[in-house]
Amino acid sequence: MDLILCHTTADFDALGAAVGLTRLKPGSKIVLTGGAHPPVRDFLALHRDEYPLIERRSVNPEKIRSITVVDTQQRDRLGKAAEWLDLPHVKEIIVYDHHLGLELDFSATQTHISPVGATTTLMVEQLQQRQISLTPAEATVMALGIHVDTGSLTYEQATPRDALALAWLMQQGTSLSVISTYRDPGLSPQLQQLLTKALDKLEYLCLRGYTIAWVTLQTNGFVPGLSSLASQLVELTEIDALLLANEYPLSEDDSRLTIIGRSQIPQTNLNNLFQPLGGGGHSQAASLNLRGVDSEAILKQLLDEFKASIPHPPTARDLMSSPVRTIRPDTTITEAQRILLRYGHSGLSVVDSTGQLLGIVSRRDIDIALHHGFSHAPVKGYMTTNVKTITPETTLPQIEALMVTYDIGRLPVLDQGQLVGIVTRTDVLRELHQEEDKGTWEQGEQGTFLLSESPRPKLSLSASLTPQLWQLLTQASQAAEKRGWHLYLVGGAVRDWLIADNATGTLMIKDIDLVVDGFHKSADVGAGVELAKELQQLHPEARLEIHGAFQTAALLWHKDPELDSLWVDIATARTEFYPYPAANPEVEASSIRQDLYRRDFTINAIALRLTYPRAGELLDFFGGLLDLQAKQIRVLHANSFIEDPTRIYRGVRFAVRFGFDIEPQTEDYIRYAINSGVYDRTAQENSRTPALQTRLKAELKHILEAPYWKPALQLLDNLGALQCIHPSLKLDEDILRELRLLERCLQKFDRQQTLIHWQMRLEALIAHLSPEYREKVAKNLQMQEDSISRLQKLAKIKTEVTTSLSTSKPPSQIVNLLRHYDLPTLILIALQSPRKIRKQIWYYLTVWANIQPILNGNDLKKLGYKPGPQYRQILDDLLTATLDGVIKHQTEAQEFLTQHYPQ
């Protein structure tokens, strides 16, 4: 006999999963181990005969072959049927569940536990894989399981997998009228009476912007359906969390306590709260059953622990952009519009000469003024003066309430009367969106941050990094906290940590970017320098470099026994503006949000906060995590490639390096930027275009020295991006053949790596251009002088060599011709020459260049020749004769000397 066990007080998810399993395991029987929820009980009163249900008392334990447990991992939730788990002749025990974080407390041969909204979803997925169809009755009860456990896909634990499962069940003939009847059956008369009592006795507490409520109901006996009552209370009172306790007597000396919890507060976990007392469930909905306890003490204990787990809500200090872009009241409308365009703001704060806030002018105000022809009018005539303000400590719920009540899009942040920041509607929406996403993220112990799902399970930064590197980050965060600053790990280091394969203390990131966000706490934009100097005092072996007008700093270690060749950049959060395409950006102090916004791709615009009180928080304003999951490269701004063409090369490098795809819209932006001709126009109009010069060369270096340089070049060519080097450069069959030949040459002639291989690849690309363009392109990329000279002279030398080698010549003449040119030049000539010429150059490099005269200077001295200038001539003639095969051994060499140089 194959049994499927539902937990006691079975719900629709347990029943639906069990019904699905009967189709996966034909002949198996379902056992309800101890009662059912009232809606399930009512449903089965009409539909029991549709499913293979049997009573527990009708089971002969001796005939049990296998047991499958659904929707639970706890022995005590199986009632007396749990005894069957210990039968020695039961060879197979399988568990299907969707409750994460629970510890299985009995032995199982197989477990299928997955983070979906309902266990039934797991059955649907297997049925689909095996192409098993269902009857309408089976589809209906399984759909009820998913609907009820996911709140019809509205609960936080609902996933796309649940939605797909429901869609498939509808195709199988789900009865929607039955779903509507039993999904929300309403409260029984008994529960309606208890609802009235609960509303009267409900106690409230407001904490950190959230409302928590609790109530204890005394009844004469067990009350079915209390979970429905709890949900109804939450809905009616609009509270954020509820603990509903029900106590009833079992005997004169014994009683039972049931506690049902509901929470809509982000980052709280009722499952973790109830587990130590034997309860469990989901993070947002859980229950607990106890006997013979002090109900008042238990409820107080749970309330205290729950309150302690409520996170501190973000404050204006966490959300605001700082410093604030301000203007004076006499600033013209035209100038205000230019500032809005430059910084991408939707409004500007207007202050007087002392910095006191006078009002706010929005983009809409400016647009209206421009429409009416008042471009030269001062903004004071259009600004809003009745401004609502907040302090740095105003919480997110309070900010949200102000914006909704007064329909305000931006709130200035004042600290002792001084304008220190601004919070916009966009800031609030982003934070709320992040709060919703934090269900998959868990705060770990001090200094750790755990990712429970996606892009891979359970990440801990402290466990992933080497201890020495983690200690350095800890020292940096402590130094920042001491000054009241926030410190973030940003960019590539966060990205590489998220997608790394190994999280066991071996991830040694060699290039780290740290950003200080605390401008509102310090007037010194050189916060990064200050932090770097303190770190150098702790690590005197590191070299400190301070560079740029913006006072960023770098700490560099060289072959350190613990930190190897680590490079740590530390900067103050900043924003940037490109005065024209391909220029260097102009940078100004800003906030971490704007600092991330200026970056290139979403996967590089993720930050991890290192400082408390919100250490371990991931900032992902632009969907970088989703793009990591989707394995795609997505740009942040439509004009990103117009402003900086090197981002095209960076995007290609990341795509090929990680095996990602370039997102279609991003690819469209790339092609538009290239085809627009903006780079040609910019180069003609501006003498300095760093993005087409030094920065482009740096990106080419990164690509051409990487093992994936070939597919990267091919992708660049497919996008038309090689035009950034020169408009005529294309990766045709000839240049591909030349690049293949180049690799053979480098492997054969430069095994000791005396040449710079990435540079040789770049020279081969430039050499493929028409001769009149080569020197100009090489100079534009600011290549080394020897490379520029080689490319400048290449056409002339190639003509000389090919002309000379086109006719038959003895080896000595070939050697005498080619010995005047360095190895890179000969390689470049060989790449572009016909097979006959290439073969002679190849033979020269492999054979003739290594041949020496049969006799040397010492031999000449022994033979009686006096040392002098004639030695050089004699040795050259001996080499010529050797190369041409005139002499082959010492005897012939001596005869040669006697004949041509008699003593």
Side-chain angles (χ1 to χ4, degrees), residues 842-896:
W842 185 278
Y843 204 76
Y844 162 74
L845 293 172
T846 54
V847 179
W848 293 330
N850 299 316
I851 293 177
Q852 299 294 323
I854 289 178
L855 301 177
N856 58 31
N858 291 329
D859 296 326
L860 295 180
K861 194 173 182 181
K862 289 177 183 178
L863 291 172
Y865 290 92
K866 293 182 180 180
Q870 67 172 347
Y871 265 35
R872 170 47 50 201
Q873 184 62 47
I874 293 172
L875 292 175
D876 283 347
D877 290 345
L878 282 171
L879 177 60
T880 298
T882 304
L883 286 167
D884 294 341
V886 175
I887 58 176
K888 299 181 179 61
H889 46 73
Q890 282 195 353
T891 301
E892 292 181 349
Q894 290 175 6
E895 292 174 355
F896 179 86

Side-chain angles (χ1 to χ4, degrees), residues 451-506:
L451 177 62
S452 59
E453 286 187 75
S454 160
R456 63 184 179 85
K458 291 292 183 187
L459 287 173
S460 168
L461 183 61
S462 62
S464 301
L465 301 179
T466 60
Q468 298 83 3
L469 186 52
W470 176 247
Q471 181 185 20
L472 176 67
L473 293 180
T474 302
Q475 291 168 341
S477 63
Q478 290 172 347
E481 286 172 4
K482 184 170 63 178
R483 293 165 171 79
W485 298 336
H486 305 320
L487 184 67
Y488 296 89
L489 179 68
V490 301
V494 181
R495 177 201 65 222
D496 292 347
W497 168 58
L498 290 170
I499 63 178
D501 293 328
N502 196 330
T504 56
T506 59

Side-chain angles (χ1 to χ4, degrees), residues 624-679:
L625 282 171
L626 292 175
D627 287 331
L628 283 177
Q629 285 181 273
K631 295 187 175 182
Q632 68 178 7
I633 305 296
R634 182 165 58 88
V635 76
L636 264 69
H637 322 290
N639 290 319
S640 186
F641 303 119
I642 296 286
E643 294 176 335
D644 188 354
T646 59
R647 287 174 175 161
I648 300 172
Y649 282 67
R650 283 170 59 80
V652 165
R653 176 157 60 90
F654 293 137
V656 179
R657 173 185 169 190
F658 299 126
F660 287 12
D661 295 321
I662 295 179
E663 182 254 348
Q665 181 69 72
T666 298
E667 183 174 333
D668 289 344
Y669 290 147
I670 291 174
R671 295 188 185 279
Y672 176 79
I674 292 169
N675 296 332
S676 69
V678 65
Y679 305 143

Side-chain angles (χ1 to χ4, degrees), residues 146-211:
I146 299 175
H147 270 289
V148 171
D149 249 38
T150 66
S152 295
L153 304 179
T154 63
Y155 293 166
E156 286 191 6
Q157 64 264 25
T159 69
R161 293 166 63 182
D162 301 298
L164 291 171
L166 273 178
W168 184 79
L169 289 170
M170 289 183 70
Q171 292 174 338
Q172 299 296 305
T174 295
S175 171
L176 296 182
S177 62
V178 173
I179 297 290
S180 63
T181 299
Y182 291 99
R183 186 186 66 83
D184 186 14
L187 299 181
S188 66
Q190 184 182 17
L191 289 176
Q192 291 179 26
Q193 292 179 4
L194 288 176
L195 175 62
T196 302
K197 290 183 180 179
L199 290 171
D200 184 53
K201 296 178 62 178
L202 205 61
E203 297 183 71
Y204 298 90
L205 170 70
C206 289
L207 180 65
R208 297 169 193 159
Y210 301 107
T211 302

